[in-house]
């Protein structure tokens, strides 16, 4: 059990320490662990807030409640691997970005959530909020499913401003239900090779802007406003 753990770098905010931590630092790293419970944790100023990896003994599954990552320059949550029962995140608060105050001249693209091609297990976010000037809310390349339910997507496409969508899915399966998209920008882009996309009951700031590139992608899109 992991409870009430907060990492803040206020013991030093000078260079080169801050640059090193924002470039290489990982606050929470989870390898093989069964039935893990994580409650009320937070990290400020790391490259990666929560990193889920595979170890020689396997991956993890677990329940994450009330977790947060602020100023994650690469990803607030990076999932390289998870077990079949999945990673279950509820009441999360995430900001992924960098600026000249904290990481001058950086060209890294910040994402709130990244699911790597190596991941096969499910990843689920419920009643969570994502904000800050990131490139995208989620970049999904794993073979498993990713679900966002009752979440708040405040900002995206704030770095290169190249018209990208909040959710970029390149493989696997996606479920979006009951979320609110706070900007009048593209919401979802599903690339060739994506298996299934479900987008229902969401609130959009303006019109629906969803792109499904794959002709074989099974899709259920409707009841959005």
């Amino acid at each position: 059990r992991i409870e009430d753990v907060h990492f803040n770098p206020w013991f030093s905010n000078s260079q080169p320490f801050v640059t090193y931590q924002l470039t290489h630092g990982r606050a929470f790293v989870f390898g093989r662990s069964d039935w893990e419970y994580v409650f009320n944790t937070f990290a400020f100023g790391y490259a990666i807030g929560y990193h889920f990896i595979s170890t020689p003994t396997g991956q993890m599954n677990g329940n994450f409640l009330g977790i947060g990552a602020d100023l994650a320059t690469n990803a607030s949550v990076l999932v390289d691997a998870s077990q079949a029962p999945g990673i279950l995140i509820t009441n999360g608060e995430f900001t992924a970005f960098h600026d000249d105050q904290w990481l001058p001249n950086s060209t890294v693209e910040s994402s709130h959530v990244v699911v790597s091609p190596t991941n096969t297990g499910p990843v689920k976010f419920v009643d969570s909020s994502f904000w800050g000037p990131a490139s995208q809310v989620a970049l999904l390349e794993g073979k498993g499913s990713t679900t966002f339910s009752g979440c708040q997507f405040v900002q995206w496409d704030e770095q290169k401003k190249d018209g990208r969508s909040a959710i970029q899915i390149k493989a696997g399966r996606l479920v979006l239900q009951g979320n609110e998209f706070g900007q009048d920008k593209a919401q979802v882009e599903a690339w060739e090779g994506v298996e299934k996309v479900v987008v229902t009951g969401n609130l959009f700031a303006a019109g629906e802007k969803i792109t499904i590139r794959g002709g074989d992608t099974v899709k259920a899109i409707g009841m959005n406003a």
Side-chain angles (χ1 to χ4, degrees):
R1 303 295 184 262
I2 302 173
E3 299 184 4
D4 300 323
V5 178
H6 286 216
F7 291 123
N8 283 293
W10 305 136
F11 50 86
S12 175
N13 59 1
S14 63
Q15 299 294 349
F17 166 76
V18 169
T19 293
Y20 187 88
Q21 181 164 297
L22 289 170
T23 304
H24 303 286
R26 299 179 297 167
F28 299 93
V29 182
F30 298 92
R32 172 63 188 273
S33 179
D34 300 331
W35 291 73
E36 187 66 70
Y37 284 75
V38 180
F39 171 69
N40 190 26
T41 58
F42 175 80
F44 179 92
Y46 287 82
I48 301 168
Y50 296 81
H51 193 185
F52 300 90
I53 65 172
S54 182
T55 64
T57 54
Q59 305 81 34
M60 77 156 298
N61 71 81
N63 170 15
F64 295 77
L65 178 62
I67 70 172
D70 190 4
L71 186 59
T73 58
N74 286 58
S76 300
V77 178
L78 172 58
V79 182
D80 289 335
S82 65
Q83 293 181 18
I87 296 168
L88 314 177
I89 299 174
T90 304
N91 295 353
E93 296 177 294
F94 304 105
T95 73
F97 69 98
H98 57 80
D99 57 27
D100 288 340
Q101 176 186 357
W102 293 100
L103 197 61
N105 304 316
S106 174
T107 59
V108 67
E109 293 190 8
S110 306
S111 303
H112 301 299
V113 178
V114 175
V115 179
S116 300
T118 51
N119 182 63
T120 58
V123 181
K124 299 179 182 292
F125 293 87
V126 177
D127 292 342
S128 296
S129 188
F130 305 84
W131 73 96
S135 284
Q136 55 259 321
V137 172
L139 176 60
L140 311 175
E141 300 182 286
K143 300 175 181 64
S145 63
T146 304
T147 300
F148 295 91
S149 177
C151 293
Q152 193 75 22
F153 305 133
V154 180
Q155 293 165 285
W156 65 92
D157 192 28
E158 294 288 338
Q159 292 183 325
K160 290 188 175 180
K161 299 185 178 182
D162 53 9
R164 71 183 63 192
S165 63
I167 311 294
Q168 301 263 338
I169 177 168
K170 299 187 176 183
R173 302 176 297 279
L174 172 67
V175 178
L176 292 171
Q177 289 184 319
N179 306 289
E180 183 170 356
F181 292 78
Q183 292 182 307
D184 181 11
K185 298 178 179 178
Q187 298 100 15
V188 179
E189 183 171 14
W191 296 75
E192 188 82 33
V194 172
E195 293 180 40
K196 299 179 180 181
V197 173
V198 176
V199 184
T200 59
N202 300 280
L203 290 175
F204 299 143
E208 183 179 287
K209 300 178 177 66
I210 298 173
T211 301
I212 308 294
R213 298 189 179 278
D216 295 331
T217 300
V218 178
K219 54 186 179 294
I221 300 172
M223 300 292 289
N224 300 297

